[in-house]
Amino acid sequence: MLKSMTFNGIRKPYLYMLDGREKAPFAPINRNIVQYPGGYRLKKTERGLLEIKQPVGFLYKTDEEALQIKDDLSTWLYTEDWVPLEFDDEPGRVYMAIVQNTIDDLFSEEGVYKEGTIQFICLYSYGKTYELTITEDFQSFTIFGQYKTPWTSRTTFAESAGQYTLENNAGGKIILNYDFVPGDILDIDYFKRKVTLNDINLAMAVSLQSQWFDLKPGEVQLKASHNTTLTYSERYF
C-alpha cells in the first residue's frame, strides 16, 4: 500500500510519498558561548526549526487533471499558522509545521505522473496525549517527552465560588477572580494564554498575580481549587 501524509487534518487521495525524506534527528541547536580569562561560559541556548523535505508524487490522466491537482495542492499546503503534519510511516508522531518555499522541482515523466519535494519547517513535534486529574491537594505527576510542553485544562464547577486557582510547586499559578456558579465550564489554554467560561472570553478575570507556567519533563506537583482535568501531549525536539 502506498503511504501518504495528513496535513492540517486533511489527506489527499491522489498524493503518495516517495522515498528519500530528509530530516535531522532533532532541531538545530544554537549556542551563545562567551569566552573569559581562563575558560568559557554558556550564556544562552536556542533551538532552531526542524526542516523536513518530503518527496511526493501523483498520477494523472490528462493535462487538465494535472492542473487541477496542482491548484488543489497549492490551496491545501498554504496555511497562515502552524498546523499538524503526520506521516503514515511515523505513527503517533505529529509535527506542528508550515510549508516553506514551493515545489519547484515538480516535473513529469512520460506524461503520466509528476513528482517533487515539499519542504516543511516544524516548530516542534509531539506524541502521546495524557489527561491528569488535578484536585485541591498537591499531587505528583510525571511529565513525559523531551521538552517543555503547553497544556489545556477544563473545570466544571459543582458549586459557587469567588475564585479559581491552578498552581504547581515551583511558583507557577493561574488565579481567576470571578463569581462562578454551579454548571460553569472553565477552559484554559496555556499556549494561547486564553481563558473562557462557557465559551465566552474571561480574560478580564485573570489576576495580575498570575504566573503562567508550562510543563517540564520529569516530576511536577499540581493542585487546583476545584477538580480539574489537565491535558498535555509529549513534546519532542
Side-chain angles (χ1 to χ4, degrees):
M1 178 182 294
L2 295 175
K3 294 183 178 181
S4 188
M5 60 188 180
T6 302
F7 183 65
N8 198 18
I10 301 170
R11 293 176 66 87
K12 296 299 180 180
Y14 56 76
L15 192 73
Y16 55 91
M17 297 191 302
L18 301 174
D19 294 336
R21 180 184 308 150
E22 296 181 24
K23 177 172 69 71
F26 51 82
I29 301 173
N30 302 314
R31 308 284 194 184
N32 186 348
I33 300 174
V34 179
Q35 184 177 10
Y36 63 93
Y40 295 86
R41 181 169 65 89
L42 178 60
K43 185 177 180 180
K44 187 176 182 181
T45 297
E46 294 181 341
R47 290 193 172 274
L49 299 174
L50 179 68
E51 181 179 272
I52 301 176
K53 293 182 179 180
Q54 177 59 57
V56 297
F58 64 85
L59 298 171
Y60 67 96
K61 297 179 180 178
T62 64
D63 290 340
E64 289 78 13
E65 183 182 9
L67 182 60
Q68 290 175 355
I69 290 175
K70 286 190 287 186
D71 288 344
D72 187 53
L73 278 175
S74 65
T75 301
W76 174 48
L77 295 175
Y78 176 78
T79 63
E80 295 186 350
D81 202 354
W82 308 96
V83 297
L85 168 65
E86 302 173 72
F87 297 111
D88 289 356
D89 57 358
E90 293 189 23
R93 184 59 56 89
V94 181
Y95 299 89
M96 293 304 295
I98 54 177
V99 172
Q100 179 84 322
N101 300 318
T102 186
I103 313 177
D104 53 12
D105 60 345
L106 196 66
F107 66 90
S108 299
E109 180 69 25
E110 299 179 356
V112 295
Y113 78 90
K114 289 184 179 293
E115 61 182 47
T117 304
I118 302 174
Q119 179 183 347
F120 298 98
I121 51 175
C122 306
L123 185 63
Y124 62 86
S125 64
Y126 60 89
K128 187 176 179 180
T129 297
Y130 298 86
E131 287 189 354
L132 310 180
T133 300
I134 314 300
T135 62
E136 61 183 9
D137 297 316
F138 271 126
Q139 298 179 78
S140 293
F141 299 94
T142 299
I143 306 302
F144 299 99
Q146 296 177 328
Y147 195 57
K148 59 186 180 181
T149 183
W151 50 267
T152 60
S153 70
R154 168 160 287 197
T155 305
T156 301
F157 287 84
E159 57 187 18
S160 299
Q163 187 181 75
Y164 171 83
T165 61
L166 172 63
E167 57 187 300
N168 65 12
N169 61 324
K173 180 181 289 189
I174 311 299
I175 305 172
L176 304 178
N177 295 313
Y178 189 80
D179 291 328
F180 300 98
V181 299
D184 275 346
I185 299 177
L186 173 69
D187 292 295
I188 301 176
D189 187 321
Y190 166 81
F191 184 75
K192 297 179 180 178
R193 300 295 198 275
K194 184 178 180 180
V195 179
T196 59
L197 184 68
N198 305 322
D199 294 325
I200 299 175
N201 190 297
L202 197 68
M204 55 82 177
V206 180
S207 169
L208 294 177
Q209 296 178 323
S210 296
Q211 297 290 330
W212 290 85
F213 61 91
D214 48 28
L215 297 176
K216 296 178 175 59
E219 185 174 302
V220 64
Q221 294 184 23
L222 299 167
K223 72 175 183 178
S225 58
H226 298 75
N227 287 354
T228 294
T229 299
L230 185 146
T231 304
Y232 80 93
S233 297
E234 301 168 334
R235 192 167 173 179
Y236 295 91
F237 299 137

